[in-house]
Amino acid sequence: MNVAQILKQKGNRIVSLPADARVGEAAGVLSAEGIGALLIMDRAGKVAGILSERDVVRAVANHGMEAVALPVTEVMTANVIFCKPADSIDALMTEMTQRRFRHLPVMDQGRVIGIVSIGDVVKNRIAETVAEAESLRQYIAAG
Ligand code: AMP
């Protein structure tokens, strides 16, 4: 199982906000969409950063109520790490564990074609493990 197969199942929807959005708006979108992170896009349509619920929590901890009025560009992570469609689930698990984040946008030929979360990775890893166990059971039963 790789990133391309995960996207085939979950789709290519990308939730994003423009770089002039405020943190309060981003929190509203994360909550309404039931997601943990969104992409921040610049005027040219390029990825300017990624903003996760953790960034919102940090902004509130540091700025209190004033956090909601801050521009998203002040609290997002500008140095975005991407994955590729051919990357394996194991490679994503390693990347997320080592870098301590839970979201990887997917870059394909200079275009972002989706975003994979740790939830997607875990769901697919469990499905693989269940399928492996079932085929082993069948193998043993046949012998
Ligand atoms: P998360 O665990 O995804 O909620 O994110 C934890 C921190 O890592 C936040 O500061 C995010 O902005 C940042 N982050 C999340 N995903 C990425 C990514 N793919 N590239 C760079 N930073 C990220």
Side-chain angles (χ1 to χ4, degrees):
M1 181 71 83
N2 63 15
V3 169
Q5 288 165 305
I6 291 179
L7 288 186
K8 213 178 253 179
Q9 283 171 11
K10 76 170 280 194
N12 296 79
R13 185 149 182 270
I14 298 156
V15 179
S16 66
L17 276 175
D20 60 1
R22 306 274 153 177
V23 170
E25 188 184 349
V29 172
L30 291 173
S31 170
E33 298 281 349
I35 55 174
L38 50 80
L39 294 180
I40 306 301
M41 312 300 285
D42 68 16
R43 281 167 185 269
K46 292 245 173 282
V47 175
I50 185 164
L51 182 137
S52 91
E53 52 201 358
R54 192 161 295 182
D55 299 315
V56 177
V57 169
R58 198 179 296 134
V60 171
N62 290 337
H63 302 276
M65 293 301 284
E66 282 159 31
V68 291
L70 290 174
V72 287
T73 45
E74 264 188 46
V75 308
M76 71 183 190
T77 302
N79 181 22
V80 181
I81 308 295
F82 297 90
C83 64
K84 300 187 294 294
D87 287 344
S88 68
I89 291 191
D90 283 352
L92 262 60
M93 285 173 78
T94 303
E95 189 85 342
M96 287 178 176
T97 305
Q98 285 178 351
R99 295 186 183 271
R100 294 173 183 272
F101 55 53
R102 297 164 291 180
H103 299 89
L104 277 166
V106 188
M107 185 69 89
D108 186 29
Q109 297 175 355
R111 262 185 347 116
V112 184
I113 59 165
I115 184 158
V116 177
S117 75
I118 199 162
D120 303 320
V121 169
V122 170
K123 187 175 146 200
N124 282 276
R125 198 75 190 87
I126 289 172
E128 269 185 357
T129 307
V130 168
E132 270 168 28
E134 181 53 31
S135 69
L136 275 175
R137 251 194 300 273
Q138 283 174 10
Y139 175 75
I140 291 164

